[in-house]
Amino acid sequence: MSTRTRTRTRTRIPRRPAALAVGLAAVLAASVGPSFAAPHGSTGPAVTRTVATAAPSVVNPGNQVSLQYDSAYLPMTATGGKAPYTWSAVNLPVGASVNSSTGLISGLLRGSGIRTVTVTAKDATGATASTTFTWRVIRDACPRC
């Protein structure tokens, strides 16, 4: 049986504390959030980072088809921006309305025809976004059968 001996050689890497401190400050600035500045008495440069809020976007629900005298239930959603949102809609089918705080379109559809509906969401900063879709309400041949 043979015995092997391992020899390790270590290469010494010179350390530069000033470069490490500046690099660490940059890493911390990227990970702590919207803004970061070096503490008082720091010899490194101050790092400031500002995060912009994405503009809101209203999710398009796709074209809608309903029967006259049916109940409408269409929840609208938005992404981005800063909640809460204020909702509004134009050219809804007769009998439908939008809840301005939840974005839910509901009601009893009384008219028939095709409408081009535009729904708009306004975020807490005042930025707006909208989407447009068609809503076809078909007159039922026998509404009481």
Side-chain angles (χ1 to χ4, degrees), residues 85-142:
Y85 303 105
T86 303
W87 295 89
S88 61
V90 294
N91 208 23
L92 287 171
V94 176
S97 63
V98 64
N99 183 309
S100 64
S101 58
T102 66
L104 175 66
I105 298 174
S106 61
L108 181 65
L109 304 176
R110 294 188 308 255
S112 62
I114 298 173
R115 304 260 184 157
T116 301
V117 178
T118 300
V119 178
T120 303
K122 182 177 180 181
D123 76 357
T125 66
T128 61
S130 59
T131 190
T132 302
F133 57 94
T134 60
W135 197 328
R136 182 177 178 201
V137 179
I138 301 169
R139 185 175 353 153
D140 192 357
C142 184

Side-chain angles (χ1 to χ4, degrees), residues 18-116:
L20 285 173
V22 171
L24 181 60
V27 169
L28 289 173
S31 64
V32 296
S35 66
F36 171 83
H40 294 293
S42 172
T43 58
V47 177
T48 302
R49 181 177 157 224
T50 304
V51 177
T53 304
S57 174
V58 177
V59 178
N60 189 308
N63 294 335
Q64 303 294 306
V65 177
S66 303
L67 292 175
Q68 187 178 17
Y69 302 111
D70 277 353
S71 294
Y73 182 88
L74 181 62
M76 298 299 297
T77 56
T79 60
K82 183 173 171 78
Y85 303 105
T86 303
W87 295 89
S88 61
V90 294
N91 208 23
L92 287 171
V94 176
S97 63
V98 64
N99 183 309
S100 64
S101 58
T102 66
L104 175 66
I105 298 174
S106 61
L108 181 65
L109 304 176
R110 294 188 308 255
S112 62
I114 298 173
R115 304 260 184 157
T116 301

